[in-house]
Amino acid sequence: MSPAATPPHPPVPARRAVVVGAGISGLSIAGQLAADGWAVDVLEQAPGPRPAGYMIDFFGPGFDAAESMGLLPALRRRGVLYDSLRYVDATGRTTARLSMGAFLRASRGRFFSILRPDIEDGLREWLPAAVTVHQSAPVVSVDPGSPGTGGGAPGEPAVVVLREGTRFEADLVVGADGIHSTVRREVFGRGEDTLRLLGYHVAGFIVEDPPLARDLGPVVTLTDSLIRQAGLYALPDGRVAVFAVEATDNPSVPRDQGAHLATAYADLGWRIPAVMERAGDEIYYDVVAQSSCPHWSRGRVVITGDAAYAVSLLAGQGASLALAGSLALARALRAHDGDLGAGLAAYEEQWRPVAETQQAAGRRNATFFVPSGRIGQVVRRVALRIMGLPGVGGVAARRIFASSLPSKGHTGD
Ligand SMILES: Cc1cc2nc3c(=O)[nH]c(=O)nc-3n(C[C@H](O)[C@H](O)[C@H](O)COP(=O)(O)OP(=O)(O)OC[C@H]3O[C@@H](n4cnc5c(N)ncnc54)[C@H](O)[C@@H]3O)c2cc1C
């Protein structure tokens, strides 16, 4: 008698994840969840990839995370290396200069600059086919469901609803929808009240200007100015990436941001007024703020990236921490496979102290970055001159990289 044929196992249904937001956090967690076998839908409110933003210095934990995720080659191809940084006064005269060589050596070459939209572009190229990105998909409500128990009780799915009414049920919802997160507001009842405004507005945009790009060359140029600061980075293709920071207590951003930039920076001199006049339609403009929500997960929902722990440009690590935080989340979920609640709790326990350390560093940097008075400006000039002395630059750079987190440990390597 032949043995009875073993019945085939029924296919295990894929776990479904919905990621809200196709920024750096959203795309990076989506790709990692898909690699772990999740079926992933990314819901993004914008109609397509967003071209706005400025140049980001990319190093530290995000660099290590990108390497672990296999993303680094796609980012390096889009990166740019600058050889120095200089401050200029209103006549264009150089008031301080720093070589980037010390930074490159201290990071052992693990440092480059990259436009924010180019990080997203690299992530989209890296994304596995199993991820579906829905553009023009603004999320308006989220029900967190319940994860059940590690012992096998199923719980309830989370439900995400788009503005036009489409519903998505999911085993996991990741709120990666930025500093003004809808997911944070819906699930934790905490919105803008979790934002710590740091007293600045920031703008970033890109202009086509081959003559200016040629004049700037491989030198990051920043204005040595009070209350406001503008910075210019030439790109190899003749474009120039501009950022502008203004000290202001206004909690709302101007309605006509282009017009505001043209007026607010008109007296900075040198080439700045002409550049600001050309800001155009694609401007990234926001308040400079940090988010801090008392909880990062509830039911089947977790928040990550700026939605959970925005550090702001004053910490200079937002994109880096977005990538590294998503790697920490993916690893915690993998380590607690089958127990979602435990995975989400482990993520927060590991990553919150890292993010909060960077937030504190960002707050300390504020007055150095944009001095409000002559004394602060002189202190910055002196500090930069000292950093430019032979031997000192290397020590300072090593300090900066050391304080940018003992990266391997924190990304879980
Ligand atoms: C257009 C833009 C330009 C930026 N430029 C810079 C820059 O030049 N330098 C810098 O340091 N930082 C910049 N930032 C912030 C920086 O990208 C973040 O600090 C960091 O990368 C963390 O990214 P994140 O993915 O957590 O959040 P974000 O980059 O803010 O991404 C959040 C995404 O969620 C989407 N979203 C928001 N609400 C919803 C909703 N209800 N439904 C669906 N989707 C939603 C947003 O459209 C966005 O694509 C920029 C952000 C944006 C959105």
Side-chain angles (χ1 to χ4, degrees):
M1 200 171 92
S2 64
T6 318
H9 288 295
V12 179
R15 294 164 298 172
R16 299 206 65 82
V18 164
V19 175
V20 183
I24 296 171
S25 303
L27 294 172
S28 57
I29 190 62
Q32 294 173 87
L33 290 173
D36 285 343
W38 293 75
V40 187
D41 287 285
V42 179
L43 308 177
E44 166 58 48
Q45 65 183 4
R50 305 179 58 162
Y54 52 88
M55 197 60 107
I56 286 167
D57 295 324
F58 189 66
F59 61 96
F63 196 108
D64 298 337
E67 190 169 46
S68 300
M69 290 158 55
L71 171 69
L72 197 54
L75 299 188
R76 265 208 197 275
R77 269 201 305 283
R78 292 164 171 82
V80 186
L81 281 178
Y82 293 92
D83 67 26
S84 56
L85 177 151
R86 74 176 177 130
Y87 281 83
V88 293
D89 67 13
T91 67
R93 189 180 62 91
T94 300
T95 58
R97 185 185 277 274
L98 257 190
S99 157
M100 300 295 263
F103 287 87
L104 267 176
R105 282 191 298 279
S107 70
R108 297 192 199 90
R110 300 171 71 80
F111 176 101
F112 55 84
S113 302
I114 182 167
L115 284 171
R116 190 207 64 90
D118 284 352
I119 300 183
E120 285 186 13
D121 192 48
L123 276 160
R124 282 175 185 258
E125 178 185 293
W126 159 90
L127 219 51
V131 176
T132 309
V133 181
H134 307 255
Q135 302 288 160
S136 301
V139 167
V140 291
S141 93
V142 183
D143 177 329
S146 68
T149 63
E156 291 294 322
V159 179
V160 174
V161 183
L162 300 186
R163 184 176 299 145
E164 35 76 7
T166 308
R167 282 164 53 96
F168 289 78
E169 288 196 355
D171 302 301
L172 169 67
V173 172
V174 182
D177 51 344
I179 194 161
H180 306 291
S181 170
T182 301
V183 176
R184 188 177 68 225
R185 192 188 62 227
E186 283 289 298
V187 173
F188 303 98
R190 305 297 299 267
E192 306 292 281
D193 59 322
T194 60
L195 291 188
R196 181 201 286 252
L197 298 181
L198 298 181
Y200 300 89
H201 285 182
V202 60
F205 58 91
I206 298 166
V207 292
E208 288 275 346
D209 195 335
L212 177 59
R214 218 175 18 252
D215 290 354
L216 294 168
V219 179
V220 176
T221 307
L222 307 171
T223 60
D224 185 1
S225 43
L226 299 177
I227 317 238
R228 291 139 300 155
Q229 185 183 61
L232 306 180
Y233 292 72
L235 299 168
D237 61 5
R239 293 178 300 158
V240 176
V242 182
F243 82 83
V245 189
E246 179 186 6
T248 167
D249 290 332
N250 193 340
S252 11
V253 300
R255 198 180 287 267
D256 185 343
Q257 293 156 2
H260 176 78
L261 291 173
T263 347
Y265 292 80
D267 62 350
L268 247 53
W270 186 55
R271 324 259 307 238
I272 300 303
V275 168
M276 294 297 169
E277 290 279 352
R278 301 186 50 204
D281 297 332
E282 292 291 352
I283 305 175
Y284 162 67
Y285 196 112
D286 209 343
V287 292
V288 175
Q290 298 184 332
S291 42
S292 81
C293 193
H295 307 285
W296 287 359
S297 68
R298 186 170 155 221
R300 293 182 177 275
V301 177
V302 62
I303 50 176
T304 190
D306 275 10
Y309 54 80
V311 293
S312 87
L313 89 158
L314 300 176
Q317 291 277 318
S320 183
L321 291 185
L323 281 176
S326 77
L327 180 63
L329 173 57
R331 286 184 167 156
L333 291 172
R334 208 176 299 144
H336 295 272
D337 197 17
D339 189 345
L340 185 68
L344 299 181
Y347 161 63
E348 181 166 349
E349 192 182 317
Q350 186 215 347
W351 198 246
R352 184 184 277 278
V354 176
E356 288 181 350
T357 302
Q358 289 303 302
Q359 288 184 321
R363 293 194 293 276
R364 284 196 302 274
N365 286 348
T367 46
F368 185 81
F369 201 68
V370 191
S372 56
R374 284 286 301 161
I375 293 178
Q377 191 177 29
V378 170
V379 167
R380 183 173 67 186
R381 280 185 197 164
V382 171
L384 288 167
R385 288 209 183 111
I386 292 172
M387 280 171 75
L389 293 175
V392 179
V395 174
R398 279 193 295 281
R399 284 233 169 117
I400 289 171
F401 285 107
S403 70
S404 84
L405 311 180
S407 40
K408 288 280 182 202
H410 284 292
T411 51
D413 282 335

